[in-house]
Amino acid sequence: MSDLPKHVVMIEVGPRDGLQIEPRILTTDEKVKIVDALADCGIKQIEVGSFVNPKAVPQMADTNEVFDRLEKRPGIRYRALWLNPKGLERALANGHVDMDGKLTLTASETFVKRNTNRSIDETFEQMPAWIETYRKAGIETDTLGVMAAFGCNFEGYIPEEKVISLIARAKQIMADEGCTLRNLSLADTMGWGSPGQMKSLVGKVRDKWPELVLKLHLHDTRGCAVANAVAAMEMGVAEFDASVGGLGGCPFAGHKGAAGNVCTEDLVFACGEMGINTGIDLDALVEAAKMTEEMVGHVLPGKVMKGGTLTRWKQQHA
Amino acid sequence: MSDLPKHVVMIEVGPRDGLQIEPRILTTDEKVKIVDALADCGIKQIEVGSFVNPKAVPQMADTNEVFDRLEKRPGIRYRALWLNPKGLERALANGHVDMDGKLTLTASETFVKRNTNRSIDETFEQMPAWIETYRKAGIETDTLGVMAAFGCNFEGYIPEEKVISLIARAKQIMADEGCTLRNLSLADTMGWGSPGQMKSLVGKVRDKWPELVLKLHLHDTRGCAVANAVAAMEMGVAEFDASVGGLGGCPFAGHKGAAGNVCTEDLVFACGEMGINTGIDLDALVEAAKMTEEMVGHVLPGKVMKGGTLTRWKQQHA
C-alpha cells in the first residue's frame, strides 16, 4: 500500500447530492444546521446546494437562502452546483458561494442527452463560452468533471480509451482558451465501478497526466464504494466526494435502484484505521449523521453511525 | 493486484450467522427453501444451522429438522456449527451434516469468557479432547478458527503477535495429537478490521505458514467488509464466509450495533467485476436474497439486490 496518501480530503456532498433525492424537503433552517454541523467536524469543503431548475429539483429551490443564512467560517469552501449559464449567474449573484471554474462532461451519449439535453459534441462546443463566462466573473477554469466515467445504465461499460480521449479533448479546449486543467474529477455516477476498474482507469490517467489532482465521486449502488475508494487511494487519489450517513441512498423512498455517495463517516473511519489523516472528528461526524437521519425521517445506510467508532480504543492504543 | 485469486469460494453462512439474530424465527420450511435457493445459485458450501442451546438461540432450535428435510445435492457441503461436545454429538447423530474437524479459539480473553464461559487457556486445554472426539467419529482435525482476530468490543485492538502466537500454540497442540493444521479461518467477529489490517495480518500469517489455506469471516459493522475482502484477495485469500442479502445486519431489530456478514451477492459482484470466478449465478442469488428479505420481513442491507446486477451488460461486452 505504498502509494496510500498521508492525507485525504473529503468533499461533503450530502446537502446537495444526498438531499436532492430525499422525498421530504428539508427546511432552510435544517439545511443550515446540517452544513454547520459538518463544518464543526472539520470538513473543509461542503457542497451546500445547487442552482438548478426548482421545478425539476424542488429539494434545492432554497439554495440561495441557505447560502444567505450560513455564517461562513474561515478555511472552509462552501461550494455549489450549476448546470447552465443561468444557474451560474444565480450562484454568482448570491455572493456567498465559493466558486469553482469547472467544466463537466459525460462519458455516455445517452445519459448526457437525458440529463442535459445536449450531445457530447455539443458539450464540448459550449466549453469555450463557459470558460469565457467564468473569466468575466474573475474565475479561472481549471477543473474538469467526467460523469459516468465507469459505466452507464443506458450504455453499459464505458471503455477507458473513450474516457481518456474525452479528457484529452477537454484539456485541449481549455489550453486553446488559455486555461490549464489542474483538477480532474472522475464520477461513478451510477455505481458501476469496481476496485479493479478504479486502479485501471486511475492508473491510465496518472500515467498520461501525472500533474493532475484527481478526485473520485463514488456511489455505493452495488456495495463497492468504500472498496473503490481504498483502491483509488492505493493509486494515490486523495480527494473524495462523500455524503454524511450515505445520504442519497434511500431504499424506502421509491428510488429503489439509486444509492447514495460513499458514506463520509465510513470512509473517514477506513482512512483513520489505515493511518490516513482526514482532519475530521469522526465522533462529531457520527452525531451529524444521526441528526441528518432524524431530519430526513428514515434510516440512512451509513454503517459506522450504527456500529460505532473505535475512537476511544484508538486513544488507548496511541 | 497480481496476487488476486482466479477463483474465490463463498461459504454461505446466512442461514446460520444471519438468521440467528433475526427477531422473526423462520419456519423449517422457509429455511429449507433458502438453503435450496442458495444451492441453486451454485454456492458449494452452506452453513445450514447450529447445534447450540435452543434456549439461548431459539432461531436455531430446528437445525436438526432442517437437515432432515433438505434434499442434499451432490457437490455441495451442508455444514453446521457446534460449540461443545453435546452439540457435536447432535450434529453427528443427525447423519446429514457434512462434518468439519474444526477447533475454535478466540483472541480476546473477555469475549471468550462471555461467549463460551472458558478462558483462552481452558480453550487450549480442551483441544486434545476435541481432537479425540473428532477422531472417534472418523473426522480428521485440520481446521482452526480464530474469532475476534482483529479487534474486540471489550478489549480493543488485538495485537497481531498475539494472534500469531495463539495460532502457533493451537498448531502445536494439533501436531502433538498427530493432526495437521491445513485450514485457518480468521474472523473479524465484531467488525473491527480495515483493509490495512487485513493485508498486515494476512501477510504475517502467510509469511509464517505459507502452506495454510486461509479463509476470512468478515462483518460489515463499520462499512469496510467488501473493502476488507478485496484487500485480503489481493493477498491471495480465496475463501470467504458471506451471508445472502447481508443477512444479520438489522438496524430495526434492536441489534443496533450488530451488522451482518459481508453480503454474498455484493462480494460475488465485486469478484465478477475484477475477473474472479465464483461459479455463482449472481442474478439467481439476488432472487434468493429478495426471497430471504421477504421472509425476515425487513429490508436487508445488501446493495446489489437493490442496485441491480450488470450481468446483461457483461454479456454484451463479452
Short mmCIF file of all heavy atoms in Angstrom, two decimals, chain A residues 265-266 269 283 286 290 301-311 313, chain B residues 153 190-192 220-223 251 255-259:
data_model
loop_
_atom_site.label_atom_id
_atom_site.label_comp_id
_atom_site.label_asym_id
_atom_site.label_seq_id
_atom_site.Cartn_x
_atom_site.Cartn_y
_atom_site.Cartn_z
N GLU A 265 -18.63 9.22 6.87
CA GLU A 265 -18.02 8.73 8.12
C GLU A 265 -17.46 7.33 7.95
O GLU A 265 -16.46 6.99 8.60
CB GLU A 265 -18.99 8.83 9.31
CG GLU A 265 -20.23 7.99 9.25
CD GLU A 265 -21.39 8.69 8.54
OE1 GLU A 265 -21.14 9.68 7.83
OE2 GLU A 265 -22.54 8.22 8.67
N ASP A 266 -18.06 6.51 7.06
CA ASP A 266 -17.48 5.18 6.83
C ASP A 266 -16.11 5.32 6.17
O ASP A 266 -15.17 4.58 6.50
CB ASP A 266 -18.41 4.33 5.96
CG ASP A 266 -19.69 3.92 6.70
OD1 ASP A 266 -19.86 4.32 7.88
OD2 ASP A 266 -20.53 3.22 6.11
N PHE A 269 -13.65 6.66 8.70
CA PHE A 269 -13.25 5.54 9.56
C PHE A 269 -12.17 4.70 8.89
O PHE A 269 -11.12 4.44 9.48
CB PHE A 269 -14.46 4.66 9.91
CG PHE A 269 -14.10 3.36 10.57
CD1 PHE A 269 -13.82 3.31 11.92
CD2 PHE A 269 -14.02 2.19 9.83
CE1 PHE A 269 -13.45 2.11 12.54
CE2 PHE A 269 -13.65 0.98 10.43
CZ PHE A 269 -13.37 0.94 11.78
N ASP A 283 -16.26 11.17 15.67
CA ASP A 283 -17.39 11.09 16.61
C ASP A 283 -18.39 12.22 16.37
O ASP A 283 -19.60 12.01 16.40
CB ASP A 283 -16.88 11.10 18.05
CG ASP A 283 -16.19 9.80 18.43
OD1 ASP A 283 -16.79 8.74 18.18
OD2 ASP A 283 -15.05 9.85 18.92
N VAL A 286 -20.38 11.42 13.25
CA VAL A 286 -21.44 10.44 13.50
C VAL A 286 -22.66 11.14 14.10
O VAL A 286 -23.81 10.84 13.73
CB VAL A 286 -20.93 9.31 14.42
CG1 VAL A 286 -22.09 8.50 15.01
CG2 VAL A 286 -20.00 8.38 13.64
N LYS A 290 -26.41 11.29 12.56
CA LYS A 290 -27.64 10.93 13.29
C LYS A 290 -28.66 12.06 13.25
O LYS A 290 -29.86 11.81 13.11
CB LYS A 290 -27.29 10.58 14.74
CG LYS A 290 -26.58 9.23 14.87
CD LYS A 290 -26.22 8.92 16.32
CE LYS A 290 -25.54 7.56 16.43
NZ LYS A 290 -24.95 7.35 17.76
N PRO A 301 -28.03 4.70 5.21
CA PRO A 301 -27.26 3.47 5.02
C PRO A 301 -25.89 3.43 5.71
O PRO A 301 -25.26 2.38 5.74
CB PRO A 301 -27.10 3.39 3.49
CG PRO A 301 -27.30 4.77 2.99
CD PRO A 301 -28.19 5.47 3.97
N GLY A 302 -25.43 4.55 6.26
CA GLY A 302 -24.11 4.57 6.90
C GLY A 302 -23.97 3.47 7.94
O GLY A 302 -24.93 3.15 8.65
N LYS A 303 -22.79 2.89 8.03
CA LYS A 303 -22.56 1.75 8.94
C LYS A 303 -21.95 2.19 10.27
O LYS A 303 -22.36 1.70 11.32
CB LYS A 303 -21.63 0.74 8.26
CG LYS A 303 -22.21 0.09 7.03
CD LYS A 303 -23.19 -1.00 7.37
CE LYS A 303 -23.69 -1.69 6.12
NZ LYS A 303 -24.54 -2.83 6.42
N VAL A 304 -20.95 3.07 10.21
CA VAL A 304 -20.25 3.46 11.44
C VAL A 304 -21.22 4.14 12.40
O VAL A 304 -21.12 3.98 13.62
CB VAL A 304 -19.04 4.38 11.13
CG1 VAL A 304 -18.45 4.95 12.41
CG2 VAL A 304 -17.98 3.58 10.37
N MET A 305 -22.21 4.87 11.87
CA MET A 305 -23.18 5.54 12.74
C MET A 305 -24.00 4.52 13.53
O MET A 305 -24.57 4.86 14.56
CB MET A 305 -24.08 6.49 11.94
CG MET A 305 -24.98 5.83 10.92
SD MET A 305 -25.84 7.04 9.84
CE MET A 305 -27.07 7.71 10.99
N LYS A 306 -24.08 3.28 13.05
CA LYS A 306 -24.76 2.22 13.80
C LYS A 306 -23.76 1.35 14.56
O LYS A 306 -24.00 0.98 15.70
CB LYS A 306 -25.57 1.34 12.84
CG LYS A 306 -26.57 2.12 12.00
CD LYS A 306 -27.32 1.21 11.01
CE LYS A 306 -28.04 2.04 9.97
NZ LYS A 306 -27.21 2.30 8.76
N GLY A 307 -22.65 1.02 13.93
CA GLY A 307 -21.67 0.11 14.54
C GLY A 307 -20.79 0.77 15.58
O GLY A 307 -20.22 0.10 16.44
N GLY A 308 -20.69 2.10 15.50
CA GLY A 308 -19.89 2.83 16.48
C GLY A 308 -18.46 3.04 16.03
O GLY A 308 -17.89 2.22 15.31
N THR A 309 -17.89 4.13 16.45
CA THR A 309 -16.49 4.42 16.12
C THR A 309 -15.58 3.62 17.07
O THR A 309 -16.07 3.01 18.03
CB THR A 309 -16.16 5.91 16.30
OG1 THR A 309 -16.09 6.21 17.69
CG2 THR A 309 -17.22 6.79 15.65
N LEU A 310 -14.31 3.65 16.79
CA LEU A 310 -13.34 2.98 17.68
C LEU A 310 -12.42 4.02 18.33
O LEU A 310 -11.32 3.69 18.80
CB LEU A 310 -12.53 1.94 16.90
CG LEU A 310 -13.35 0.82 16.24
CD1 LEU A 310 -12.45 -0.11 15.43
CD2 LEU A 310 -14.09 0.01 17.31
N THR A 311 -12.89 5.27 18.35
CA THR A 311 -12.04 6.38 18.80
C THR A 311 -11.43 6.12 20.18
O THR A 311 -10.23 6.31 20.40
CB THR A 311 -12.86 7.68 18.84
OG1 THR A 311 -13.63 7.75 17.64
CG2 THR A 311 -11.96 8.89 18.95
N TRP A 313 -10.82 3.42 21.73
CA TRP A 313 -9.82 2.36 21.71
C TRP A 313 -8.54 2.82 21.05
O TRP A 313 -7.44 2.44 21.47
CB TRP A 313 -10.37 1.14 20.97
CG TRP A 313 -11.56 0.56 21.65
CD1 TRP A 313 -12.86 0.70 21.27
CD2 TRP A 313 -11.58 -0.22 22.84
NE1 TRP A 313 -13.69 0.05 22.14
CE2 TRP A 313 -12.93 -0.54 23.13
CE3 TRP A 313 -10.58 -0.70 23.70
CZ2 TRP A 313 -13.31 -1.29 24.23
CZ3 TRP A 313 -10.96 -1.45 24.79
CH2 TRP A 313 -12.30 -1.75 25.05
N ASN B 153 -14.85 -5.64 21.06
CA ASN B 153 -15.56 -4.53 21.72
C ASN B 153 -15.25 -4.42 23.21
O ASN B 153 -15.51 -3.39 23.82
CB ASN B 153 -17.07 -4.69 21.54
CG ASN B 153 -17.49 -4.53 20.08
OD1 ASN B 153 -16.71 -4.07 19.24
ND2 ASN B 153 -18.72 -4.91 19.77
N MET B 190 -16.37 -8.80 15.34
CA MET B 190 -17.08 -7.58 15.72
C MET B 190 -16.82 -6.40 14.77
O MET B 190 -17.05 -5.25 15.10
CB MET B 190 -16.73 -7.23 17.18
CG MET B 190 -17.42 -8.21 18.13
SD MET B 190 -16.88 -8.12 19.86
CE MET B 190 -15.62 -9.37 19.92
N GLY B 191 -16.33 -6.74 13.58
CA GLY B 191 -16.20 -5.72 12.54
C GLY B 191 -15.21 -4.62 12.85
O GLY B 191 -15.48 -3.45 12.67
N TRP B 192 -14.04 -5.00 13.33
CA TRP B 192 -13.00 -4.01 13.65
C TRP B 192 -12.01 -3.81 12.51
O TRP B 192 -11.25 -2.84 12.50
CB TRP B 192 -12.21 -4.47 14.89
CG TRP B 192 -12.91 -4.16 16.17
CD1 TRP B 192 -14.15 -4.57 16.55
CD2 TRP B 192 -12.39 -3.35 17.24
NE1 TRP B 192 -14.43 -4.08 17.79
CE2 TRP B 192 -13.39 -3.33 18.24
CE3 TRP B 192 -11.19 -2.67 17.45
CZ2 TRP B 192 -13.22 -2.63 19.43
CZ3 TRP B 192 -11.02 -1.98 18.64
CH2 TRP B 192 -12.03 -1.97 19.62
N ASP B 220 -19.79 -6.53 8.47
CA ASP B 220 -19.79 -5.19 7.87
C ASP B 220 -20.16 -4.10 8.88
O ASP B 220 -20.78 -3.10 8.54
CB ASP B 220 -20.76 -5.16 6.68
CG ASP B 220 -20.46 -3.99 5.75
OD1 ASP B 220 -19.31 -3.53 5.74
OD2 ASP B 220 -21.39 -3.53 5.06
N THR B 221 -19.75 -4.28 10.10
CA THR B 221 -20.14 -3.39 11.19
C THR B 221 -19.81 -1.93 10.91
O THR B 221 -20.55 -1.03 11.29
CB THR B 221 -19.43 -3.84 12.49
OG1 THR B 221 -19.50 -5.27 12.57
CG2 THR B 221 -20.07 -3.21 13.71
N ARG B 222 -18.69 -1.69 10.26
CA ARG B 222 -18.26 -0.31 10.02
C ARG B 222 -18.05 -0.02 8.53
O ARG B 222 -17.29 0.88 8.17
CB ARG B 222 -17.03 0.00 10.86
CG ARG B 222 -17.38 -0.01 12.36
CD ARG B 222 -16.24 0.06 13.32
NE ARG B 222 -16.75 0.06 14.68
CZ ARG B 222 -16.95 -1.04 15.42
NH1 ARG B 222 -16.63 -2.22 14.93
NH2 ARG B 222 -17.46 -0.95 16.64
N GLY B 223 -18.72 -0.80 7.69
CA GLY B 223 -18.77 -0.48 6.26
C GLY B 223 -17.55 -0.90 5.45
O GLY B 223 -17.45 -0.58 4.27
N PRO B 251 -30.84 -3.06 11.35
CA PRO B 251 -30.91 -1.83 12.15
C PRO B 251 -32.25 -1.65 12.85
O PRO B 251 -32.41 -0.79 13.68
CB PRO B 251 -30.67 -0.73 11.13
CG PRO B 251 -30.99 -1.32 9.80
CD PRO B 251 -30.75 -2.79 9.93
N HIS B 255 -30.89 -4.69 17.47
CA HIS B 255 -29.45 -5.04 17.49
C HIS B 255 -28.71 -3.90 16.84
O HIS B 255 -27.92 -4.11 15.93
CB HIS B 255 -29.16 -6.30 16.69
CG HIS B 255 -30.05 -7.45 17.02
ND1 HIS B 255 -29.80 -8.31 18.05
CD2 HIS B 255 -31.21 -7.86 16.47
CE1 HIS B 255 -30.76 -9.22 18.11
NE2 HIS B 255 -31.63 -8.97 17.16
N LYS B 256 -28.94 -2.73 17.27
CA LYS B 256 -28.48 -1.53 16.58
C LYS B 256 -27.03 -1.63 16.15
O LYS B 256 -26.67 -1.24 15.05
CB LYS B 256 -28.69 -0.32 17.50
CG LYS B 256 -30.04 0.38 17.22
CD LYS B 256 -29.82 1.66 16.45
CE LYS B 256 -31.11 2.23 15.89
NZ LYS B 256 -30.91 3.19 14.84
N GLY B 257 -26.19 -2.13 17.05
CA GLY B 257 -24.76 -2.12 16.73
C GLY B 257 -24.32 -3.29 15.87
O GLY B 257 -23.33 -3.20 15.16
N ALA B 258 -25.07 -4.38 15.92
CA ALA B 258 -24.65 -5.57 15.20
C ALA B 258 -24.79 -5.36 13.70
O ALA B 258 -25.65 -4.61 13.25
CB ALA B 258 -25.47 -6.77 15.64
N ALA B 259 -23.97 -6.02 12.95
CA ALA B 259 -24.10 -5.96 11.50
C ALA B 259 -23.84 -7.33 10.94
O ALA B 259 -23.15 -8.15 11.54
CB ALA B 259 -23.12 -4.96 10.92
#
